[in-house]
Amino acid sequence: QAKYLAQGGVVGAQVVGRAFMRALRQEGGASRAAADARGHSERPQSATASRIIGISLQEAQQILNVSNLNPEQIQKNYEHLFKVNDRGGGGSFYLQSKVVRGGERLDEELRIQAKDEKEKGGGAET
């Protein structure tokens, strides 16, 4: 009887695991589609970053609860949200991964802006 109970538990865990992975794939696809749809209104480099990372700049700002691209505020919110959603403390791996993707997207946008400013500054001096 214990053998059947254990087998039932294993099968149940497999079913839940497959459903979870399917949901993650669907969310990723939906996020990419939304980023592509919004990407047409963004600058070309920014739209490319949205497609590569899978979320738009606007979504990343919402995830990390920032209204502007202030590196200190982004880092502060990122660290707080990452820690709060740590699985070891009862948090959600899914939410923690969204925080990571949001941080990556905002870091990429900051990099794009710095590159643009450097190019504009370099072009003005010559």
Side-chain angles (χ1 to χ4, degrees), residues 72-98:
E72 293 80 21
Q73 188 64 43
I74 291 169
Q75 186 64 30
K76 178 183 171 190
N77 289 10
Y78 175 87
E79 289 173 0
H80 171 73
L81 291 169
F82 189 86
K83 184 178 178 184
V84 167
N85 288 296
D86 185 20
R87 283 180 49 178
S92 165
F93 175 73
Y94 173 76
L95 292 177
Q96 192 177 46
S97 67
K98 292 294 264 185

Side-chain angles (χ1 to χ4, degrees), residues 2 19 21 98 111 117:
M21 290 306 295
K98 292 294 264 185
R111 188 192 66 74
E117 288 175 14

Side-chain angles (χ1 to χ4, degrees), residues 24-39 47 50-56 59 98 101:
L24 280 177
R25 277 189 229 110
Q26 286 175 345
E27 174 61 28
S31 181
R32 278 189 293 281
D36 285 343
R38 285 189 293 263
S50 292
R51 280 193 297 280
I52 291 170
I53 295 173
I55 63 173
S56 70
E59 184 179 2
K98 292 294 264 185
R101 294 292 168 252

Side-chain angles (χ1 to χ4, degrees), residues 53-65:
I53 295 173
I55 63 173
S56 70
L57 176 59
Q58 180 183 10
E59 184 179 2
Q61 287 176 304
Q62 289 173 344
I63 290 168
L64 291 179
N65 194 29

